Amino acid sequence: MTVPPGQPVGPPAQQPALPACARHPGRPTGLRCSRCDRPACVECLRPAAVGQHCVDCLAEGRRTTRQPVTISGARTDRRPIVLPILIGINVLVFVVTVIQARSITNLQGSSLFDNWALLPLLTRNGYWWQLITAGFLHVSVIHILMNMIALWVIGRDMERVLGPFRFGIVYLLGVFGGNVAVFVFGAANAPEAGASTGVFALMGGLLVVVYRLKVNPSQVIGLIVVNLVISVVIPGISLLGHLGGLITGIAVTFALVNVPAERRTLWQTVTVVAAVVVLLGLVAVRVPQLPVLT
């Protein structure tokens, strides 16, 4: 057979085999990661500012890149998780008290309500848990509904700013601080219950946050003033509990968002411990003034 002039003699040259994807050895690919230069299939590549990066390089970049944080040191990509837990606990406790009392309007027939509601005279005589548990009781459907709506509206932003752990601390210290105010300055035989101590703590914390972020605080101030006026005008609402929660929330949140970024966790821990010591000190001052029941 005559070979035309200029045509190579012999079998045609074979193309070199494509390399396999680094993560999928059974997939030949002509693509590469522009960062590590390893072969990668289409499924393993993501568009980047320059070229395309494999998923392994992207994961490594996320690990080594410093995540942005809020003014309290919380990560900005977390969704609220403590807030729904707090609401769930409040609702569960309310359901239990309704079942025990067999009434939705008079819950004082519930043994849980009677043991958990803050009554300073009983608290001084060994029912110390009331300084916390009273913040998870409610006397009516309207009571819990209003508190849970306020907790949800304010708590969503506050947990994002503070982070789950700090948010929970501010809320619980607000409950404790509000009940301590009732215990120290209130009547010995006047019962108190409600999550509004913690809600007012979050209001106070929100006021601190908007000032710290240099945002117009007028709406938050108006919210606090309106709720304090309601506390005075409507009978049966504990003004002492609201003021105690508000002041505690302001003080604790101010410390949490203003400590130095260096050794932030240490300073925030010291702040929380100091707040607990101060509140326990107030309780200790009040105890000798209340009679011992025999």
Side-chain angles (χ1 to χ4, degrees):
M1 181 178 64
T2 304
V3 178
Q7 182 172 335
V9 180
Q14 295 183 351
Q15 296 293 329
L18 292 174
C21 171
R23 301 182 75 248
H24 300 96
R27 298 181 185 178
T29 179
L31 304 174
R32 290 181 177 272
C33 172
S34 55
R35 181 174 179 180
C36 66
D37 199 40
R38 293 187 304 170
C41 65
V42 175
E43 183 181 333
C44 295
L45 292 173
R46 301 290 185 273
V50 178
Q52 48 192 359
H53 294 170
C54 66
V55 292
D56 293 329
C57 286
L58 291 176
E60 181 182 355
R62 283 192 292 266
R63 288 193 299 267
T64 57
T65 301
R66 185 175 180 180
Q67 296 292 330
V69 296
T70 66
I71 55 176
S72 69
R75 287 173 50 180
T76 59
D77 59 344
R78 287 184 174 177
R79 295 181 178 180
I81 55 175
V82 174
L83 175 60
I85 292 175
L86 290 174
I87 293 176
I89 293 174
N90 277 276
V91 173
L92 177 62
V93 170
F94 181 74
V95 171
V96 172
T97 57
V98 167
I99 294 173
Q100 289 183 344
R102 297 182 180 179
S103 172
I104 203 168
T105 57
N106 182 14
L107 302 181
Q108 294 192 13
S110 162
S111 59
L112 182 66
F113 190 96
D114 294 339
N115 285 319
W116 279 21
L118 176 65
L119 187 63
L121 190 58
L122 284 181
T123 307
R124 184 263 178 270
N125 283 273
Y127 290 60
W128 297 110
W129 57 83
Q130 294 178 348
L131 293 171
I132 293 293
T133 57
F136 292 90
L137 295 173
H138 295 86
V139 299
S140 68
V141 174
I142 296 298
H143 190 200
I144 189 172
L145 183 63
M146 297 302 295
N147 277 340
M148 293 305 99
I149 290 175
L151 177 57
W152 175 256
V153 171
I154 301 172
R156 287 178 301 173
D157 292 332
M158 285 299 291
E159 184 167 349
R160 289 191 179 98
V161 173
L162 297 177
F165 183 73
R166 298 176 189 86
F167 171 78
I169 289 294
V170 170
Y171 182 84
L172 292 177
L173 281 179
V175 169
F176 186 43
N179 290 330
V180 166
V182 174
F183 178 79
V184 174
F185 302 108
N189 59 348
E192 185 272 335
S196 51
T197 49
V199 173
F200 265 84
L202 296 181
M203 288 185 193
L206 183 60
L207 181 62
V208 172
V209 168
V210 296
Y211 268 110
R212 179 70 170 76
L213 296 175
K214 296 181 172 57
V215 179
N216 186 349
S218 58
Q219 290 186 347
V220 180
I221 294 175
L223 175 67
I224 294 173
V225 170
V226 168
N227 279 274
L228 288 177
V229 170
I230 292 175
S231 303
V232 174
V233 173
I234 300 180
I237 296 181
S238 176
L239 177 62
L240 284 173
H242 292 177
L243 288 174
L246 178 68
I247 293 171
T248 302
I250 290 174
V252 174
T253 306
F254 180 84
L256 291 178
V257 301
N258 285 287
V259 295
E262 299 79 12
R263 306 182 73 180
R264 176 185 278 126
T265 302
L266 173 62
W267 284 110
Q268 290 177 339
T269 303
V270 170
T271 295
V272 172
V273 172
V276 173
V277 169
V278 169
L279 293 173
L280 290 176
L282 291 173
V283 172
V285 170
R286 176 62 166 163
V287 166
Q289 302 172 7
L290 297 174
V292 178
L293 298 178
T294 57

